[in-house]
Amino acid sequence: MTTTGEEQAVARTGPWWWARRRSAALDGSLALVSALECGAEGIPFARDAGLPVAVGIVFGLIAGSVLLVRRKWPIAVVLVAIAITPAQMGFLLGIVGLYTLAACELPRRIIGALAGMSLVGTAVVTFVRVRQDMARGDLTLGDWFVPFAAVATALGLTAPPVLLGLYVGARRRLMESLRERADSLERELQLLAERAEERAEWARNEERTRIAREMHDVVAHRVSLMVVHAAALQAVARKDPEKAVRNAALVGDMGRQALTELREMLGVLRAGEGVGRRAAGVPLAAVREAAAAAASLAVEAQSAVDGPWLSELEELIGQSAAAGMAVDLSVEGEVRSYRAEVEQTAYRVVQEALTNVHKHAAGAKTHVRLAHRVSEIAMQVENEPPSEPGSASAAGLPSGGNGLVGMRERVVGLGGVFVSGPTDAGGFRVSAVIPAA
């Protein structure tokens, strides 16, 4: 894991302005070497200037030790190096000072101005010294050598440290920028991982809620029919054995269908829980696992509850009629196919409404209306009051109170409108309108 700027600030171990102890040791060593060099070069300077030798040595030691503050005040170090250039001392001080100046976070115009001053100062001093040597006869080269030596010496003592400092400074800034980007990217990845976990959990909860609605609609409807047939079977077992056999066969078929669909849905739920457990506690891996979990769960749930379709509506009503319900179906408009979600929702609304009739209005005449419109499909299930009010729950069917809630969630989830409530005649009506697109 990368280190942030705040952590770097806390991790300082060096004294004063040094970030690390080894940086302080390096600057101290350079300052010591520079002070010794300037002190040695102060001896001929004192002789040429007619000063005591001790004064020249002390002056050199003080000037050379300025290199100790090169990280804190690089401009001051370069100015001192330029100031003592006429005394022909401070070569190490000038080179290290220019390097530090070019590598630090200063405007380029300041770096260029100070580097230019050092270049000109070195060139002038070298030009004068070489000319004096040639005048004394120490050098016997031509006049061309004087400007050549001045320019070459000035460039050799100025250009390399400045260029190296610019390169090191640019590289340092690049590394800091990359480190900041890495920290930012790591924070973004952690945030994305947390959001992915939240989305995955939300997707799993949504799928479980949807499957729970499917289980309620399918199981409640089939079990309600099974209970009605079982009650009829009990009533006619001795009077009409043939009808009793038919009712027993219907109960068996409905039980097997309910078990099959229940097994498929429970399998999807177990698969979803397994994926959730694998993704838990792995923040960065959750980005991949969450997407796979949500996609896999959605696909498996869709395949497990694929269908039913509106074309099976007559069979559904036939099953209710076989259970003794007086129900009729009327269809308006041109019959056409819709998206799978629309057809499944419309079917489930009618199915749950019929189940509620079995539970709460046994024996009541029921009307199912289906209307195919231009941009929507409408359905209505309305039952009349039961012929015997006291026998509405004669079959002993329990009610969990989730049927109307599930129907409303289905319809509203597709952008439709759902209305339910008692009629003036004492019956109950369920109406829904679902957009076709």
Side-chain angles (χ1 to χ4, degrees):
M1 181 174 177
T2 56
T3 305
T4 60
E6 182 178 356
E7 291 172 343
Q8 287 181 347
V10 175
R12 296 174 65 90
T13 58
W16 297 337
W17 56 83
W18 285 284
R20 292 172 295 183
R21 294 185 181 276
R22 66 178 184 180
S23 299
L26 175 62
D27 289 353
S29 301
L30 290 175
L32 178 62
V33 174
S34 177
L36 293 176
E37 177 204 350
C38 292
E41 293 170 346
I43 297 175
F45 167 70
R47 291 173 180 173
D48 294 340
L51 298 173
V53 176
V55 174
I57 295 175
V58 172
F59 175 74
L61 292 175
I62 295 174
S65 61
V66 174
L67 200 58
L68 188 66
V69 297
R70 70 183 185 96
R71 298 177 191 267
K72 186 71 172 178
W73 297 295
I75 296 179
V77 174
V78 175
L79 289 176
V80 171
I82 294 174
I84 65 176
T85 299
Q88 286 190 322
M89 62 173 62
F91 294 102
L92 179 63
L93 178 66
I95 292 174
V96 177
L98 287 174
Y99 164 79
T100 306
L101 178 70
C104 66
E105 301 290 338
L106 287 174
R108 292 296 178 87
R109 61 178 183 275
I110 296 178
I111 297 175
L114 293 176
M117 292 171 60
S118 177
L119 177 67
V120 173
T122 304
V124 170
V125 171
T126 304
F127 183 88
V128 172
R129 291 295 182 178
V130 173
R131 185 137 190 149
Q132 290 176 352
D133 292 341
M134 293 186 66
R136 289 196 303 264
D138 296 340
L139 295 174
T140 57
L141 299 175
D143 295 339
W144 61 270
F145 182 73
V146 178
F148 172 78
V151 173
T153 303
L155 290 176
L157 294 178
T158 304
V162 171
L163 294 177
L164 180 61
L166 290 175
Y167 167 75
V168 171
R171 185 175 181 275
R172 181 188 303 139
R173 287 188 291 273
L174 176 62
M175 295 301 295
E176 291 176 354
S177 175
L178 292 177
R179 187 180 298 111
E180 292 177 357
R181 291 178 61 184
D183 294 339
S184 176
L185 181 60
E186 185 174 359
R187 289 191 293 270
E188 291 179 1
L189 285 177
Q190 292 177 349
L191 181 60
L192 287 175
E194 294 174 359
R195 290 181 177 177
E197 288 184 357
E198 293 175 358
R199 292 194 192 101
E201 185 62 26
W202 176 83
R204 287 192 289 269
N205 291 336
E206 284 295 315
E207 288 301 326
R208 290 192 180 100
T209 302
R210 191 169 74 89
I211 295 173
R213 287 198 299 265
E214 293 288 342
M215 291 173 62
H216 174 271
D217 294 346
V218 174
V219 176
H221 177 73
R222 298 195 185 281
V223 172
S224 298
L225 292 180
M226 289 169 63
V227 173
V228 172
H229 281 292
L233 178 61
Q234 184 179 6
V236 301
R238 296 180 180 178
K239 299 178 182 180
D240 192 351
E242 294 183 1
K243 187 174 182 180
V245 171
R246 289 195 300 270
N247 287 342
L250 288 174
V251 171
D253 292 339
M254 292 178 184
R256 282 188 291 272
Q257 293 174 4
L259 286 175
T260 300
E261 296 182 5
L262 181 61
R263 187 180 299 112
E264 292 175 350
M265 294 175 186
L266 292 178
V268 173
L269 286 177
R270 291 195 189 98
E273 292 173 357
V275 174
R277 287 193 297 269
R278 289 197 302 272
V282 190
L284 293 179
V287 177
R288 179 182 67 256
E289 292 288 345
S296 175
L297 187 57
V299 171
E300 291 178 2
Q302 185 63 30
S303 62
V305 295
D306 189 17
W309 310 101
L310 286 176
S311 59
E312 304 173 18
L313 204 56
E314 294 183 359
E315 180 182 353
L316 174 66
I317 293 175
Q319 293 175 355
S320 295
M325 178 187 293
V327 56
D328 60 75
L329 171 66
S330 63
V331 180
E332 301 176 3
E334 182 181 355
V335 179
R336 64 181 187 275
S337 59
Y338 301 90
R339 289 184 297 123
E341 310 89 71
V342 175
E343 294 209 15
Q344 292 168 15
T345 300
Y347 182 95
R348 294 304 187 194
V349 168
V350 176
Q351 182 186 55
E352 180 59 24
L354 293 177
T355 302
N356 288 341
V357 175
H358 283 292
K359 289 181 179 180
H360 307 292
K365 183 174 178 59
T366 306
H367 306 277
V368 179
R369 301 179 181 89
L370 186 66
H372 299 274
R373 300 171 183 171
V374 177
S375 59
E376 61 188 15
I377 179 173
M379 65 228 61
Q380 183 183 87
V381 179
E382 179 180 352
N383 63 274
E384 300 176 358
S387 57
E388 299 179 10
S391 61
S393 301
L397 290 170
S399 176
N402 297 318
L404 294 177
V405 176
M407 285 190 283
R408 183 182 300 277
E409 290 177 351
R410 287 177 181 275
V411 175
V412 174
L414 294 178
V417 178
F418 178 84
V419 179
S420 63
T423 63
D424 296 336
F428 199 85
R429 180 187 298 118
V430 173
S431 301
V433 179
I434 305 174

